[in-house]
């Protein structure tokens, strides 16, 4: 359902005023909250900086440890695979690397495990007997970004490492490097240092009591530490409405801290102001609901009157007028609408009269074209019989001609339409006339079912086709000819076919040329019937119906008329043609 202009105006006014009041209250409330929040941020940003300093020192220790291992020539030399090395030599090399890595773990209590992955996926670690575990461990999701090169930081997400005392949560520092001791392999070595997550817990143990929540994020945005991990989803749902978020990002590897300060105490101090503004908003809205609809109703009443009048005009009521006495532009618009409707009514009546006259003239011209053509050929036969002294035959033919003319001079709808049975009677009289002049030259067969004989068709639709079949098909050959007239229903269309076994069309004549008028050969009768029928079919039924012509030289011609199937009397065709 479409909204009226009155509803739109009321809604727009209410929306603008409501937004304005809410916006002004929100600005004031936000401004006061901002002042208190800025002060809280300043006090707590210093505490975050101290925590960040501790975390940065932890990162620096890991980086320095990694640099020391990568630069150690003894470790790198033992990592290089040697051609022809025995299993015993490889084992002693692995043990030597393990002891060197154990030294680094012993010097830093925050480290849990160190391993080096050779290009051939051989793993060297400070722990022995973990080879099978490492093979699966390095396939876990935390290591995938480092394998495919999509990592944006050298630190991994928090994940579990299965140690002798059980699974421990760790953060891995992963860095690929080139072993300069390995001259034969262009592959990349990967150093992985596992740091205990407990070390981060110690850093945040003291500072966490100053904040409602602290989150440590890695360079790619993953959460490395959360002081309230169990209730994280609930606090996230509360959002900025319950906390003031602050962020400190001046850390190595893109690490950052996010801290949340409770707004509860801040809101307690400004809550009376918020209630006061809410009271103003509610009072203003009630006032608008009482005053604005009445004013808008008076403004939009002329528009509503014009809209209803236009709907009546669009439904065909061209005698509609409106009365608007507003004294403004709407009154001028109403007067113009009345003039427009009156002029439209006059024009429509005149146009309908002209269309009806033009339609009747076109139909009468098409029918008048058929009648002289048929009479011309019939009178030629009468003249021939008179010269031959066959007076009785002349009387018979003349009587048949009179019957045909009486049938063709009907008026009204019956001048345009007939039934198949009526057309059959007309053709029977026409054939009777032609058989006097050309005895034994042709026969006519009918194949029209009884239930189709009441179908409504165009008057003089079949006779011109029979005439063309005689004079341009059968009479041009020596043997006796045959004309077959049939009717069938295909879908919603009636197909009436007239076919003969005459000489057919010349090979140089296209079928479409027979269905067109040819002004250059207006003195000939050949083709007149085809074009006339085609034009009348298009006039009454539209372009989807028409005539189909098929012919071969010396094999006859077949002409099929396609019109809508309508069983009944001629008057029933009003529902099809709109006459």
């Amino acid at each position: 359902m479409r909204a009226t202009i009155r509803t739109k105006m009321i809604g727009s006014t209410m929306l603008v005023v409501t937004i304005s009041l809410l916006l002004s209250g929100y600005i004031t409330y936000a401004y006061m909250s901002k002042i208190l929040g800025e002060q809280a941020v300043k006090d707590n940003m210093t505490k975050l900086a101290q925590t960040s300093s501790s975390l940065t020192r932890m990162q620096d220790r890991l980086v320095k440890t990694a640099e020391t291992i990568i630069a150690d020539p003894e470790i790198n030399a033992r990592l290089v695979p040697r051609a022809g090395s025995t299993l015993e030599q490889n084992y002693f090399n692995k043990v030597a690397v393990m002891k060197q890595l154990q030294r680094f773990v012993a010097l830093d209590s925050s480290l849990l495990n160190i391993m080096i992955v050779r290009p051939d996926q051989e793993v060297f670690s400070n722990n022995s007997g973990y080879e099978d575990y490492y093979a699966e461990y390095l396939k876990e999701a935390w290591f995938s970004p480092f394998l495919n090169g999509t990592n944006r930081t050298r630190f991994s997400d928090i994940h579990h490492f299965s140690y002798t005392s059980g699974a421990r949560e760790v953060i891995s520092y992963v860095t690929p490097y080139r072993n300069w001791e390995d001259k034969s392999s262009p592959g990349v070595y990967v150093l992985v240092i596992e740091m205990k997550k407990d070390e981060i817990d110690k850093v945040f143990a003291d500072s966490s009591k100053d904040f409602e929540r602290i989150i440590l994020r890695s360079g790619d945005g993953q959460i490395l530490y959360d002081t309230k991990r169990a209730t994280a989803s609930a606090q996230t749902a509360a959002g900025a409405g319950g906390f003031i978020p602050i962020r400190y990002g001046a850390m190595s590897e893109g690490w950052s801290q996010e801290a949340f300060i409770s707004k509860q105490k801040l809101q307690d101090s400004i809550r009376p102001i918020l209630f006061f503004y809410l009271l103003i908003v509610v009072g203003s809205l009630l006032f608008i609901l009482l005053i604005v609809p009445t004013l808008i109703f008076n403004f939009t009443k002329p528009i509503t009157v014009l809209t209803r009048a236009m709907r009546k005009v669009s439904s065909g009521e061209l005698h509609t007028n409106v009365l608007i006495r507003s004294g403004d532009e709407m009154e001028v618009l109403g007067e113009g609408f009345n003039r427009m409707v009156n002029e439209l009514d006059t024009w429509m009546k005149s146009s309908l009269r002209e269309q009806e006259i033009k339609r009747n003239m076109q139909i009468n011209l098409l029918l008048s074209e058929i009648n002289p053509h048929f009479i011309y050929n019939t009178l030629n036969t009468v003249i021939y019989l008179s010269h031959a002294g066959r007076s009785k035959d002349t009387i018979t033919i003349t009587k048949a001609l009179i019957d045909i003319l009486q049938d063709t001079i009907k008026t009204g709808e019956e001048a345009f339409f007939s039934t198949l049975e009526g057309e059959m009677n007309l053709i029977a009289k026409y054939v009777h006339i032609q058989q006097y002049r050309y005895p034994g030259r042709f026969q006519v067969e009918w194949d029209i079912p009884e239930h189709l004989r009441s179908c409504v068709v165009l008057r003089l639709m079949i006779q011109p086709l029979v005439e063309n079949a005689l004079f341009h098909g059968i009479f041009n050959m020596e043997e006796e000819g045959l004309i077959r007239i049939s009717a069938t229903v295909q879908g919603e269309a009636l197909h009436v076919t007239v076919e003969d076994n005459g000489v057919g069309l010349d090979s140089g004549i296209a079928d479409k040329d027979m269905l067109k008028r040819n002004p250059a050969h207006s003195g000939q009768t050949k083709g007149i019937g085809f074009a006339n029928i085609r034009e009348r079919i298009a006039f009454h039924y539209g372009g989807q119906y028409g005539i189909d012509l098929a012919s071969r030289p010396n094999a006859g011609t077949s002409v099929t008329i396609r019109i809508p199937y309508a069983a009944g009397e001629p008057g029933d065709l009003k529902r099809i043609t709109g006459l």
Side-chain angles (χ1 to χ4, degrees), residues 449-560:
E450 188 68 30
H451 68 280
L452 295 182
R453 298 187 179 187
S454 61
C455 292
V456 179
V457 298
L458 292 177
R459 183 172 295 280
L460 291 176
M461 182 182 74
I462 305 175
Q463 185 272 335
L465 303 182
V466 175
E467 183 176 351
N468 278 329
L470 287 174
F471 285 93
H472 305 296
I474 293 176
F475 291 163
N476 290 330
M477 65 180 187
E478 295 180 358
E479 61 270 18
E480 182 181 30
L482 175 64
I483 298 175
R484 188 173 181 272
I485 305 173
S486 61
T488 59
V489 176
Q490 299 184 17
E492 297 182 356
L494 175 66
H495 287 209
V496 180
T497 302
V498 177
E499 53 185 328
D500 64 75
N501 62 346
V503 296
L505 295 177
D506 296 337
S507 58
I509 300 178
D511 293 352
K512 62 181 182 179
D513 294 333
M514 288 296 297
L515 302 178
K516 295 181 179 179
R517 296 180 182 272
N518 193 348
H521 300 84
S522 58
Q524 301 179 6
T525 61
K526 186 175 184 178
I528 292 179
F530 290 114
N532 185 284
I533 296 170
R534 179 186 60 80
E535 292 172 5
R536 286 197 290 150
I537 290 175
F539 187 87
H540 287 290
Y541 307 119
Q544 68 269 33
Y545 299 99
I547 301 179
D548 299 325
L549 186 146
S551 180
R552 290 186 303 170
N554 301 318
T557 301
S558 175
V559 181
T560 300

Side-chain angles (χ1 to χ4, degrees), residues 170-183:
V170 297
I171 297 177
S172 300
Y173 176 82
V174 183
T175 177
Y177 72 95
R178 182 80 65 181
N179 187 352
W180 300 109
E181 299 292 335
D182 189 352
K183 307 297 183 179

